[in-house]
Amino acid sequence: MAETETDEGTSKRRDSEPGARCDSAPSSDRLLIQEGEASDQDASLALEHPAVTRKEVDAWMMVEWSNSPYSTVAISAFLPVCIQTAAILKTGFPKVCPNVVTDDGLVRSTFPLHNFTSNPVMYRILGGDSLASCGNDLSDPFCTAEYCRGLPTTTTDCLQADGVSPYALGLHGEGTLNPTAFVTLCISLSVVLQALAFGVLGPLADYGSNRKRFLTLSTLCGAVSMMAVLLVSPERYWLR
């Protein structure tokens, strides 16, 4: 009788312990508890990483649509041509070339069949592809054995007075910075500036509510800078 009461008391004490109920809870209850914890975790993840909306997708597509033509057409094709043309004109090309001849009598005697309507000019070039590709008309030849009418059209035709030795065009005189290499220099500098800007401004733009502000500011700066290219003259070629 005493042993039975002792067993019953021991059983009651076990049931009153905190972990006893959980251990003795049915398996279905434990599954419900686990599912509830999982749903809480999913809810917290959803708050940290909300689902992408259709509006956000459309906004990203518009940004990509406007950025890709700029990088493809403007940076890869349009701007390099503008920069190189402005830099070459800054050197004084083609009149600065030593092989250009402006002597009126010599030019007219070299091309007697041509009717010059303005100041006659020619440039000396001995052999090479330029003479072979002149497409001379026998009734009014464009080139002779040594000279071609007009001014040099390419930097490769800009030669020394002997018509053979190359002339080194320079932005600050002969032998200085080559205008055709100025484009490469500008692109290299722009890449360095981009690396600095991406490293500093990128994290700032991704922090808090700055994304839209930085996107608007960078868009305006890019648009204004691109339109300002049309206002730059060869004298201010370095602004491009």
Side-chain angles (χ1 to χ4, degrees), residues 26-136:
S27 59
S28 59
D29 294 341
R30 288 199 297 270
L31 291 175
L32 290 175
I33 294 173
Q34 294 175 357
E35 290 178 357
E37 294 176 352
S39 62
D40 293 340
Q41 293 177 357
D42 293 340
S44 62
L45 290 175
L47 291 176
E48 295 178 1
H49 305 283
V52 179
T53 62
R54 180 64 185 177
K55 185 177 181 180
E56 292 174 333
V57 174
D58 293 340
W60 182 87
M61 293 175 64
M62 291 297 292
V63 171
E64 182 65 20
W65 173 78
S66 61
N67 181 65
S68 294
Y70 172 76
S71 59
T72 303
V73 178
I75 298 179
S76 302
F78 177 70
L79 285 179
V81 173
C82 289
I83 294 173
Q84 181 169 307
T85 302
I88 290 176
L89 293 177
K90 171 62 179 176
T91 64
F93 177 85
K95 293 182 179 180
V96 73
C97 300
N99 61 333
V100 173
V101 179
T102 57
D103 184 278
D104 186 278
L106 180 59
V107 176
R108 292 183 184 276
S109 62
T110 304
F111 298 95
L113 300 179
H114 184 73
N115 182 22
F116 291 96
T117 57
S118 58
N119 295 331
V121 64
M122 64 183 180
Y123 61 97
R124 189 180 188 186
I125 181 168
L126 299 177
D129 296 334
S130 297
L131 291 178
S133 60
C134 277
N136 277 342

Side-chain angles (χ1 to χ4, degrees), residues 13-33:
R13 284 196 301 271
R14 290 178 179 174
D15 294 340
S16 62
E17 293 178 358
R21 293 181 180 179
C22 294
D23 294 339
S24 60
S27 59
S28 59
D29 294 341
R30 288 199 297 270
L31 291 175
L32 290 175
I33 294 173

